[in-house]
mmCIF file of all heavy atoms in Angstrom:
data_model
loop_
_atom_site.group_PDB
_atom_site.id
_atom_site.type_symbol
_atom_site.label_atom_id
_atom_site.label_comp_id
_atom_site.label_asym_id
_atom_site.label_seq_id
_atom_site.Cartn_x
_atom_site.Cartn_y
_atom_site.Cartn_z
ATOM 1 N N VAL A 256 -28.132 22.039 -3.176
ATOM 2 C CA VAL A 256 -28.130 22.234 -4.626
ATOM 3 C C VAL A 256 -27.985 20.904 -5.371
ATOM 4 O O VAL A 256 -27.620 20.876 -6.534
ATOM 5 C CB VAL A 256 -27.016 23.215 -5.057
ATOM 6 C CG1 VAL A 256 -27.354 24.628 -4.621
ATOM 7 C CG2 VAL A 256 -25.652 22.789 -4.518
ATOM 8 N N TYR A 257 -28.305 19.809 -4.685
ATOM 9 C CA TYR A 257 -28.310 18.497 -5.323
ATOM 10 C C TYR A 257 -29.529 18.317 -6.223
ATOM 11 O O TYR A 257 -29.637 17.327 -6.937
ATOM 12 C CB TYR A 257 -28.265 17.386 -4.271
ATOM 13 C CG TYR A 257 -29.227 17.599 -3.125
ATOM 14 C CD1 TYR A 257 -30.595 17.365 -3.263
ATOM 15 C CD2 TYR A 257 -28.764 18.076 -1.905
ATOM 16 C CE1 TYR A 257 -31.467 17.587 -2.215
ATOM 17 C CE2 TYR A 257 -29.626 18.299 -0.848
ATOM 18 C CZ TYR A 257 -30.979 18.056 -1.006
ATOM 19 O OH TYR A 257 -31.850 18.288 0.032
ATOM 20 N N ASN A 258 -30.480 19.265 -6.175
ATOM 21 C CA ASN A 258 -31.573 19.277 -7.137
ATOM 22 C C ASN A 258 -31.712 20.677 -7.721
ATOM 23 O O ASN A 258 -31.122 21.648 -7.226
ATOM 24 C CB ASN A 258 -32.898 18.782 -6.527
ATOM 25 C CG ASN A 258 -33.313 19.550 -5.282
ATOM 26 O OD1 ASN A 258 -33.134 20.759 -5.195
ATOM 27 N ND2 ASN A 258 -33.889 18.848 -4.304
ATOM 28 N N VAL A 259 -32.467 20.789 -8.801
ATOM 29 C CA VAL A 259 -32.603 22.083 -9.477
ATOM 30 C C VAL A 259 -33.369 23.066 -8.615
ATOM 31 O O VAL A 259 -33.139 24.274 -8.683
ATOM 32 C CB VAL A 259 -33.265 21.906 -10.859
ATOM 33 C CG1 VAL A 259 -33.331 23.239 -11.605
ATOM 34 C CG2 VAL A 259 -32.508 20.889 -11.694
ATOM 35 N N ASN A 260 -34.253 22.566 -7.774
ATOM 36 C CA ASN A 260 -35.000 23.452 -6.878
ATOM 37 C C ASN A 260 -34.040 24.273 -6.022
ATOM 38 O O ASN A 260 -34.204 25.493 -5.860
ATOM 39 C CB ASN A 260 -35.917 22.634 -5.965
ATOM 40 C CG ASN A 260 -36.822 21.698 -6.719
ATOM 41 O OD1 ASN A 260 -36.336 20.777 -7.387
ATOM 42 N ND2 ASN A 260 -38.126 21.897 -6.629
ATOM 43 N N GLY A 261 -33.036 23.606 -5.470
ATOM 44 C CA GLY A 261 -32.071 24.308 -4.634
ATOM 45 C C GLY A 261 -31.229 25.289 -5.420
ATOM 46 O O GLY A 261 -30.895 26.376 -4.927
ATOM 47 N N GLN A 262 -30.893 24.946 -6.655
ATOM 48 C CA GLN A 262 -30.120 25.866 -7.489
ATOM 49 C C GLN A 262 -30.965 27.074 -7.879
ATOM 50 O O GLN A 262 -30.464 28.204 -7.936
ATOM 51 C CB GLN A 262 -29.595 25.129 -8.719
ATOM 52 C CG GLN A 262 -28.599 24.029 -8.366
ATOM 53 C CD GLN A 262 -28.136 23.235 -9.568
ATOM 54 O OE1 GLN A 262 -28.032 23.768 -10.672
ATOM 55 N NE2 GLN A 262 -27.857 21.949 -9.371
ATOM 56 N N ALA A 263 -32.250 26.845 -8.133
ATOM 57 C CA ALA A 263 -33.138 27.958 -8.481
ATOM 58 C C ALA A 263 -33.363 28.893 -7.295
ATOM 59 O O ALA A 263 -33.695 30.067 -7.485
ATOM 60 C CB ALA A 263 -34.473 27.414 -8.988
ATOM 61 N N ALA A 264 -33.194 28.377 -6.085
ATOM 62 C CA ALA A 264 -33.402 29.193 -4.883
ATOM 63 C C ALA A 264 -32.163 29.988 -4.489
ATOM 64 O O ALA A 264 -32.214 30.782 -3.540
ATOM 65 C CB ALA A 264 -33.835 28.296 -3.724
ATOM 66 N N LEU A 265 -31.055 29.808 -5.187
ATOM 67 C CA LEU A 265 -29.834 30.522 -4.836
ATOM 68 C C LEU A 265 -30.014 32.035 -4.948
ATOM 69 O O LEU A 265 -30.668 32.524 -5.873
ATOM 70 C CB LEU A 265 -28.683 30.089 -5.747
ATOM 71 C CG LEU A 265 -28.114 28.685 -5.536
ATOM 72 C CD1 LEU A 265 -27.117 28.349 -6.640
ATOM 73 C CD2 LEU A 265 -27.445 28.572 -4.161
ATOM 74 N N THR A 266 -29.412 32.746 -4.004
ATOM 75 C CA THR A 266 -29.431 34.213 -4.051
ATOM 76 C C THR A 266 -28.026 34.783 -4.195
ATOM 77 O O THR A 266 -27.848 35.998 -4.219
ATOM 78 C CB THR A 266 -30.084 34.775 -2.775
ATOM 79 O OG1 THR A 266 -29.368 34.298 -1.629
ATOM 80 C CG2 THR A 266 -31.547 34.342 -2.685
ATOM 81 N N SER A 267 -27.028 33.904 -4.274
ATOM 82 C CA SER A 267 -25.645 34.344 -4.448
ATOM 83 C C SER A 267 -24.865 33.221 -5.126
ATOM 84 O O SER A 267 -25.360 32.099 -5.288
ATOM 85 C CB SER A 267 -25.003 34.700 -3.099
ATOM 86 O OG SER A 267 -24.995 33.583 -2.238
#
Side-chain angles (χ1 to χ4, degrees):
V256 289
Y257 46 76
N258 55 38
V259 183
N260 306 64
Q262 295 176 32
L265 288 172
T266 57
S267 60

